[in-house]
């Protein structure tokens, strides 16, 4: 990015004017499925923010966190705090521009159900049902779920109805509440949200509202989910999302940065709250259709999901004659016999079948290697991730050969993850070739490999920003080139 401070997030989303601190999101309740820690930067919300906790014994408690001034300096609750700040932080003036949360007048219910631990699905359902029963005055219109996949294996493919979050939120979806979720941060994984949710992906806007500078994110996951439905629905900025500086160690800075599709989904939740408050007659389906149909698509990009454009959407909603017809006729891809499904011409059926066979532990290692040559990267990811790591030196060399010829970034990530296990320092020449791969998980593995031998190798700084990949790898390459030239 050229400027020290990115443009305000509201500009980057396509707002024609900044959200009004008193009216944007007014009368709209947002449930944020996350944990949160107290912080003085959210105290202005007063009674408009609550924390609902579901305990292991399924009891539910609620507390005000805006009146708790005991800020805790640890990571638990930081993710939820960043989401709330992106949605509701007070105006701050930076370099002549006003930064403000997208829906600062909304009501926020943070639901902490002990995510990613055993029994989370039952606790989530208990929490959602409790909120819908006791929070009529909150007017819950939106649920933000950035970790919807829960404890599912994110490579194995299954129908989304089997997911614990999908089961827990079904009653809310049936009531017309809009569930907004992250579509995923990397092509390493196969799992993507159900069609009933507004799935949010990301793109690179370089911190600019000027859409001519926007490009697609090279490691963006998209395609068909376990039901055979295309995901995501819409894209939003995923890097350098400005929020007020909240970390104790960064008190000399004016801003902190949120990112990933968690940040993108939080911004879209704010847009939805803004639109619900402006157009209270909107249904969730109508709002979702308007956002998708009036976004901006990238040219020459296989992912048809558009970039969100708030001004275009509002312009349409102001002129729309009446409710839009929302068809709901999509069929769900499913299989019954995995031994037949594995030979299907449909890659989703093959992936569903391979998942069932892997879970049944009926495939030999040789058979798994056969599936690494499947035409579908979805199937190949399941196969390579199941192989886990090379069994001997000969297979290790074959891993490197497969990695070299693999065109899909997510599959490369799984080969690299396998190679990272028990990787010797003598392999440095092989690892150097992947320090600038477009796939985040590949670069992550390179960074972790270097970190295993800090006394021998310089470190590779991790980055999600594609514009920073080459610059971050430059010191490593300079060291390697100098060493190689010296030895030769």
């Amino acid at each position: 990015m050229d400027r020290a401070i990115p443009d305000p997030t509201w500009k980057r989303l396509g707002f024609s004017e900044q959200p009004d601190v008193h009216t944007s999101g007014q009368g709209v309740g947002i449930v944020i499925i996350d944990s949160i820690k107290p912080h003085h930067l959210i105290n202005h919300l007063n009674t408009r923010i609550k924390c609902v906790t579901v305990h292991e014994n399924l009891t539910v408690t609620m507390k005000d966190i805006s009146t708790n001034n005991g800020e805790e300096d640890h990571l638990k609750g930081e993710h939820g705090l960043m989401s709330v700040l992106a949605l509701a932080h007070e105006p701050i003036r930076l370099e002549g521009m006003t930064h403000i949360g997208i829906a600062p007048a909304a009501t926020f219910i943070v639901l902490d159900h002990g995510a990613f631990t055993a029994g989370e699905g039952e606790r989530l359902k208990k929490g959602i049902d409790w909120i819908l029963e006791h929070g009529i005055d909150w007017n819950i219109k939106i649920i933000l779920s950035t970790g919807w996949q829960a404890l599912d294996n994110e490579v194995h493919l299954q129908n989304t109805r089997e997911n614990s979050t999908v089961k827990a939120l079904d009653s809310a979806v049936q009531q017309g509440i809009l569930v907004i979720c992250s579509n995923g941060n990397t092509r390493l994984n196969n799992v993507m949200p159900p069609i009933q949710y507004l799935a949010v992906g990301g793109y690179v806007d370089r911190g600019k509202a000027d859409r001519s500078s926007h490009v697609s994110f090279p490691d963006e996951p998209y395609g068909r989910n376990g039901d055979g439905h295309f995901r995501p629905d819409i894209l939003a900025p995923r890097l350098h999302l400005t929020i007020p500086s909240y970390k104790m160690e960064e008190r000399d800075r004016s801003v902190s940065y949120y990112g990933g599709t968690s940040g993108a989904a939080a911004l879209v939740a704010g847009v939805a709250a803004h639109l619900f408050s402006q157009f209270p007659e909107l249904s969730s389906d109508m709002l979702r259709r308007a956002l998708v149909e009036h976004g901006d698509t990238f040219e020459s990009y296989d992912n048809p999901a558009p970039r969100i454009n708030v001004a275009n959407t509002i312009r349409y909603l102001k002129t729309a004659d009446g409710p839009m017809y929302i068809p709901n006729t999509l069929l769900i891809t499913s299989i019954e016999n995995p031994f037949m499904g594995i030979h299907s011409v449909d890659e989703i059926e093959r992936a569903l079948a391979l998942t069932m066979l892997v879970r049944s532990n009926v495939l030999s290692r040789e058979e798994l290697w056969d599936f690494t040559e499947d035409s579908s990267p979805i199937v190949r990811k399941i196969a390579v991730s199941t192989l886990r790591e090379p069994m001997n030196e000969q297979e290790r060399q074959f891993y490197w050969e497969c990695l070299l010829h693999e065109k899909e970034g997510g599959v490369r990530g799984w080969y690299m993850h396998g190679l990272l296990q028990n990787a010797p320092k003598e392999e440095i020449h092989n690892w150097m070739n992947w320090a600038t791969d477009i796939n985040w998980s590949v670069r992550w593995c390179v960074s972790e490999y270097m970190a295993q031998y800090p006394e021998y190798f310089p470190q590779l700084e991790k980055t999600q920003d594609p514009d920073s990949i080459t610059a971050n790898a430059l010191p490593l390459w300079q060291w390697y080139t100098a060493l190689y030239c010296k030895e030769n």
Side-chain angles (χ1 to χ4, degrees), residues 29-73:
I30 304 175
V31 175
I32 301 173
I33 302 175
D34 214 327
S35 59
I36 191 170
K37 61 182 180 181
H39 202 285
H40 71 274
L41 288 173
I42 59 174
N43 285 355
H44 67 284
L45 294 172
N46 201 356
T47 59
R48 288 189 295 110
I49 184 166
K50 309 283 186 184
C51 183
V52 172
T53 302
V54 184
H55 304 276
E56 288 191 11
N57 62 0
L58 296 182
T59 58
V60 180
T61 57
M62 183 179 72
K63 66 179 179 181
D64 292 321
I65 59 172
S66 64
T67 56
N68 187 337
N69 294 315
E71 296 177 20
E72 303 166 8
D73 189 21

Side-chain angles (χ1 to χ4, degrees), residues 199-429:
V200 181
Y203 64 92
V204 180
D205 71 351
R206 299 188 167 104
K208 302 286 189 181
D210 178 8
R211 300 203 160 215
S212 66
S213 66
H214 298 176
V215 295
S216 60
F217 186 71
D219 193 22
E220 183 69 16
Y222 61 90
R224 295 166 68 201
N225 67 4
D227 300 324
H229 303 147
F230 187 89
R231 312 271 67 209
D233 296 291
I234 201 160
L235 307 177
R238 61 171 291 160
L239 297 171
H240 313 297
L241 310 179
T242 52
I243 55 177
S245 181
Y246 67 90
K247 296 181 179 179
M248 292 183 179
E249 66 271 21
E250 296 180 355
R251 286 183 172 175
D252 58 331
R253 300 182 184 179
S254 54
V255 296
S256 296
Y257 294 103
Y258 199 9
T261 51
S262 289
L267 294 182
V268 172
V271 170
H274 176 86
L275 295 177
F276 277 135
S277 63
Q278 276 206 353
F279 305 94
E281 74 283 1
L282 277 179
S283 70
S284 294
D285 286 341
M286 291 164 60
L287 185 148
R288 175 175 170 176
R289 176 62 64 89
L291 284 174
V292 173
E293 290 189 349
H294 299 280
D296 303 321
T297 55
F298 280 112
E299 294 183 6
S300 303
Y301 184 32
D302 291 339
N303 182 357
R307 290 167 287 166
I308 191 168
N309 188 320
V310 177
N312 278 359
T313 304
I314 290 176
R315 193 176 301 115
Y316 165 75
L317 291 173
K318 284 182 176 179
T319 59
D321 294 331
M324 294 168 284
Y325 171 66
I326 311 295
N328 187 19
T329 57
L330 290 175
L331 299 177
I332 294 177
T333 300
S334 61
I335 63 166
E336 294 183 5
N337 186 336
F339 294 99
M340 294 180 61
I342 200 67
H343 300 292
S344 171
V345 296
D346 185 331
E347 66 173 343
I348 299 302
E349 291 187 359
R350 295 201 305 279
L352 291 169
L354 182 55
T355 294
M356 294 171 68
L357 294 173
V358 165
R359 290 176 174 176
S360 299
N361 198 29
V362 297
L363 297 176
S364 68
R365 194 167 183 84
E366 289 73 24
E367 289 172 315
L368 284 172
W369 271 114
D370 288 339
F371 290 113
T372 67
E373 299 179 4
D374 193 276
S375 61
S376 168
I378 301 174
V379 173
R380 297 202 300 277
K381 279 184 274 189
I382 296 171
V384 179
S385 67
T386 305
L387 288 169
R388 296 185 183 276
E389 61 182 280
M391 299 298 290
N392 51 50
E393 185 58 31
Q394 181 181 3
E395 193 174 59
R396 187 172 187 85
Q397 292 308 311
F398 189 55
Y399 259 66
W400 283 114
E401 292 177 22
C402 293
L403 174 64
L404 185 63
H405 294 97
E406 178 57 58
K407 298 183 183 302
E408 206 278 333
V411 184
R412 290 199 301 275
W414 283 112
Y415 277 122
M416 286 294 272
H417 188 267
L419 286 163
L420 182 61
Q421 316 309 310
N422 304 307
K425 68 178 186 301
E426 291 77 17
E427 278 188 343
I428 180 62
H429 305 293

Side-chain angles (χ1 to χ4, degrees), residues 102-243:
I102 305 303
T107 297
F108 304 94
I109 312 300
V110 181
L111 173 55
D112 184 354
H113 67 294
F116 306 111
T117 58
E120 62 173 326
E122 185 179 12
R123 293 192 299 273
L124 179 57
K125 177 172 174 51
K126 181 73 173 182
I128 288 293
D129 290 348
W130 188 94
I131 289 171
L132 296 181
E133 178 183 352
H134 293 83
I136 296 177
D137 292 341
W138 296 330
N139 190 29
I140 302 300
K141 303 285 284 184
I142 300 163
I143 296 174
L144 174 61
S145 176
T146 56
W148 75 274
Q149 69 280 2
L151 288 174
D152 285 355
N153 183 308
E154 294 188 57
V155 185
H156 291 175
L157 210 64
Q158 62 182 9
N159 290 144
T160 60
R161 61 174 175 255
E162 299 179 43
N163 173 267
S164 64
T165 300
V166 174
K167 294 176 182 178
L169 300 185
D170 183 64
S171 61
V173 172
Q174 296 305 317
Q175 293 183 42
I177 294 172
L178 178 62
V179 178
I180 299 177
C181 64
S182 308
N183 193 60
N185 286 327
T186 171
R187 296 188 65 82
L188 184 71
N189 301 324
N190 284 330
V191 172
M192 288 184 284
I195 198 70
Q196 293 85 357
Y197 297 176
L198 179 62
V200 181
Y203 64 92
V204 180
D205 71 351
R206 299 188 167 104
K208 302 286 189 181
D210 178 8
R211 300 203 160 215
S212 66
S213 66
H214 298 176
V215 295
S216 60
F217 186 71
D219 193 22
E220 183 69 16
Y222 61 90
R224 295 166 68 201
N225 67 4
D227 300 324
H229 303 147
F230 187 89
R231 312 271 67 209
D233 296 291
I234 201 160
L235 307 177
R238 61 171 291 160
L239 297 171
H240 313 297
L241 310 179
T242 52
I243 55 177

